[in-house]
Amino acid sequence: MTDSYASSRNGDLSPSQNGHAASSPSLGPNAGVSSVIRKKLMGYVGFANLPNQVHRKSVRKGFQFTAMVVGESGLGKSTLINTLFNTTLYAPKEPLPPTAERPKTVAIESIDADIEENGVRLHLTVVDTPGFGDFVNNDDSWRPIVENIESRFDSYLEQENRVNRQKVVDNRVHACLYFIQPTGHSLKQIDIEFMRRLHTKVNLIPVIAKADTLTDEEIADFKNRILADIAHHHIHIFQAPTYDNEDEETIAEAEEIASKIPFAVVGSDKVVATPDGREVRGRSYPWGIIEVDNEEHCDFVKLRQMLVRTYMEELREYTNDVLYENWRTEKLLSMGVAQDSSVFKEINPAERMQEDRVLHEAKLAKMEAEMKMVFQQKVQEKEAKLKQSEEELYARHKEMKDALDKQRSDLEEKKRKIESGRPLTPEKSNTSKKNRFLRA
Ligand SMILES: Nc1nc2c(ncn2[C@@H]2O[C@H](COP(=O)(O)OP(=O)(O)OP(=O)(O)O)[C@@H](O)[C@H]2O)c(=O)[nH]1
């Protein structure tokens, strides 16, 4: 925290300290240049406590994580899960008697467990896939697994679409540990087919099972061949993400984890005593002890770091934001519901400016067109009014002219009659009688 924080911890932000000061008129030669305003806090606001709030809430609610394990039978899946979460999720198995009927398809089994470490609860679901790769024909071994992952997406989508979304249970698979047989050669067809079918639906984490059966050189060569196969088939495996603003230590840690993929692991939930008197989780051999938690011996620690300690939240986030979102879009499209992808599109500032400019120009053009339309409408109205009054004037003029014409023709008729000496109208003949009487 800065000195200013320490010196005025109980002080409130004064008006000139709350960010407005940066827009004062005396900004100097750079005034007008838009820049990010970086301000030092002059007092304690309280948002530094946000991580604690999240922590408290999360601890109260607990965490939920679903991991899937896939690999041929006997590759040490149950042992590794027990070792990873330091619990006996899977009890030791009795070998199947030779007469027992073998399952004919891949089964999907899940185990739930609530585990607690330092007061933090984790609700863990492990989805096991017994039978994978165990048949004469394993062409479709991936199919029930894809169907299971998709049905979990379906169930989440159905919950999202409910009116009451208060209690959405997230059963989606957040990570899939794919166990590769330690052949020392390269990936088998079944491995490639599985990863190709699954990599867009789940976070794939490939592990080389029972790495204690290979020498260090064999492991290094095997890893290179596996990575080459993965790249060749354009398979996307989960990578530890790094962010620009992270410190060097975190970036180095992410790089180290990434350098170990595919993790060469050894599993054991047994504690053995080392010759120097330590008690470790490991496997004891006539020539020595393989320690599970020793980074010199295997990549178990790095796998645990990726899956549990550092990137569990990233795995959940990637599942939700990318894998589920892509599946959901495809599903809705197949149902004829189109999604406005521009809402989710990330664009760079130059593209955004260009887009804003185009939108602004379109807005101006629309305004201009509207103004033109209103103007034309007004002119038309005025013209119609003028035409109407012109017609009225013309009609009045015609009326008056007709009246005058009639008056004139009447007068001319009178004049003609007077001049021709013809008796006038009866009224007028009375007058002439009167005149004659007066003359007499
Ligand atoms: N050498 C060696 N053996 C291991 C390792 N992990 C487990 N085993 C042994 O391999 C055998 C099978 O282990 P499981 O954990 O039951 O294997 P799984 O893959 O769960 O087997 P299924 O349930 O049949 O699919 C057991 O005897 C384990 O002790 C390992 O890292 N190295």
Side-chain angles (χ1 to χ4, degrees):
M1 198 41 84
T2 59
D3 292 348
S4 48
Y5 160 62
S7 61
S8 58
R9 192 189 155 100
N10 56 354
D12 287 324
L13 288 177
S14 70
S16 61
Q17 293 160 352
N18 62 5
H20 298 303
S23 58
S24 74
S26 56
L27 283 176
N30 287 335
V33 177
S34 81
S35 60
V36 177
I37 302 167
R38 294 186 197 283
K39 295 293 290 175
K40 261 188 187 176
L41 284 179
M42 305 303 279
Y44 181 67
V45 181
F47 59 73
N49 197 37
L50 280 175
N52 294 338
Q53 290 180 31
V54 176
H55 176 79
R56 240 192 6 254
K57 194 173 160 212
S58 305
V59 167
R60 203 176 55 238
K61 274 176 62 184
F63 293 84
Q64 207 282 326
F65 190 75
T66 303
M68 179 179 252
V69 283
V70 185
E72 288 164 52
S73 178
L75 285 184
K77 302 184 290 294
S78 325
T79 312
L80 193 80
I81 288 293
N82 284 348
T83 322
L84 266 172
F85 294 99
N86 209 10
T87 176
T88 320
L89 219 61
Y90 286 95
K93 280 176 215 146
E94 291 294 322
L96 276 179
T99 49
E101 199 175 318
R102 312 257 149 181
K104 293 194 174 54
T105 52
V106 177
I108 310 282
E109 293 169 359
S110 67
I111 297 183
D112 288 85
D114 278 310
I115 42 186
E116 203 172 315
E117 190 179 88
N118 295 341
V120 178
R121 268 191 314 119
L122 173 69
H123 182 78
L124 176 70
T125 305
V126 177
V127 183
D128 197 359
T129 56
F132 178 84
D134 289 351
F135 311 106
V136 178
N137 181 354
N138 291 303
D139 286 355
D140 277 351
S141 278
W142 53 269
R143 200 180 292 278
I145 300 171
V146 169
E147 281 169 6
N148 184 271
I149 289 175
E150 288 189 339
S151 80
R152 286 163 187 270
F153 280 161
D154 263 327
S155 136
Y156 194 81
L157 180 64
E158 193 261 323
Q159 293 182 73
E160 270 188 336
N161 291 340
R162 270 191 216 151
V163 177
N164 181 3
R165 283 178 292 177
Q166 290 294 306
K167 283 201 174 125
V168 177
V169 183
D170 184 6
N171 279 327
R172 296 168 297 181
V173 177
H174 302 117
C176 172
L177 289 180
Y178 185 73
F179 285 67
I180 300 165
Q181 205 182 356
T183 58
H185 300 301
S186 53
L187 287 181
K188 292 194 284 181
Q189 192 52 40
I190 185 173
D191 304 325
I192 294 168
E193 194 58 21
F194 176 83
M195 291 204 246
R196 250 175 21 85
R197 301 281 183 175
L198 269 284
H199 73 133
T200 54
K201 302 206 160 39
V202 72
N203 286 312
L204 273 182
I205 303 177
V207 298
I208 299 173
K210 299 187 173 179
D212 52 328
T213 57
L214 299 172
T215 65
D216 286 352
E217 296 82 61
E218 282 168 342
I219 287 176
D221 288 349
F222 194 31
K223 278 188 178 188
N224 286 338
R225 264 179 254 128
I226 291 171
L227 288 176
D229 275 347
I230 284 175
H232 179 74
H233 292 282
H234 305 291
I235 292 166
H236 178 262
I237 52 175
F238 182 75
Q239 299 287 349
T242 49
Y243 304 102
D244 291 346
N245 55 352
E246 267 175 346
D247 55 280
E248 279 173 20
E249 203 183 313
T250 316
I251 294 173
E253 186 186 304
E255 280 171 358
E256 218 188 314
I257 290 177
S259 73
K260 300 286 182 195
I261 298 173
F263 302 97
V265 293
V266 175
S268 170
D269 39 15
K270 302 243 165 29
V271 174
V272 290
T274 60
D276 57 359
R278 288 177 299 126
E279 296 228 305
V280 293
R281 291 194 301 176
R283 306 188 76 82
S284 176
Y285 292 104
W287 54 89
I289 284 170
I290 298 269
E291 295 176 29
V292 168
D293 297 289
N294 188 334
E295 290 197 47
E296 308 258 294
H297 292 194
C298 70
D299 301 333
F300 173 82
V301 172
K302 283 282 169 280
L303 169 67
R304 193 183 50 201
Q305 226 167 343
M306 180 182 210
L307 191 66
V308 188
R309 217 186 76 185
T310 319
Y311 295 113
M312 190 178 260
E313 204 43 40
E314 306 280 354
L315 286 159
R316 284 162 46 88
E317 235 174 71
Y318 193 81
T319 304
N320 184 60
D321 300 351
V322 181
L323 302 168
Y324 171 69
E325 206 48 57
N326 288 345
W327 173 86
R328 184 174 171 275
T329 307
E330 257 177 48
K331 171 106 184 173
L332 294 179
L333 276 176
S334 71
M335 289 163 67
V337 184
Q339 209 164 244
D340 182 3
S341 57
S342 65
V343 176
F344 307 105
K345 198 173 72 181
E346 265 193 31
I347 46 178
N348 66 35
E351 277 177 343
R352 191 186 297 280
M353 267 176 65
Q354 170 72 6
E355 211 165 82
D356 286 351
R357 201 169 58 81
V358 171
L359 281 175
H360 185 66
E361 277 171 8
K363 206 169 152 189
L364 280 180
K366 192 171 166 241
M367 272 168 69
E368 200 181 322
E370 277 172 4
M371 276 166 71
K372 256 188 197 162
M373 213 175 72
V374 171
F375 178 73
Q376 269 174 3
Q377 216 172 328
K378 287 242 153 77
V379 168
Q380 273 171 2
E381 276 171 18
K382 231 353 175 240
E383 273 178 359
K385 255 191 191 161
L386 281 171
K387 204 170 170 203
Q388 195 187 348
S389 37
E390 191 187 337
E391 275 168 8
E392 279 171 10
L393 271 174
Y394 182 73
R396 261 183 69 197
H397 168 78
K398 193 169 176 288
E399 208 176 282
M400 281 169 71
K401 193 173 169 268
D402 287 351
L404 279 172
D405 283 350
K406 191 166 180 296
Q407 249 183 358
R408 189 199 282 149
S409 64
D410 283 353
L411 285 171
E412 272 173 4
E413 173 72 16
K414 262 186 211 166
K415 187 181 160 198
R416 232 183 305 122
K417 277 181 185 167
I418 290 168
E419 281 171 359
S420 64
R422 270 200 286 156
L424 290 170
T425 54
E427 183 197 11
K428 282 183 183 161
S429 62
N430 282 348
T431 320
S432 40
K433 262 187 205 167
K434 203 168 144 191
N435 285 345
R436 253 183 277 142
F437 171 75
L438 282 173
R439 260 186 260 139

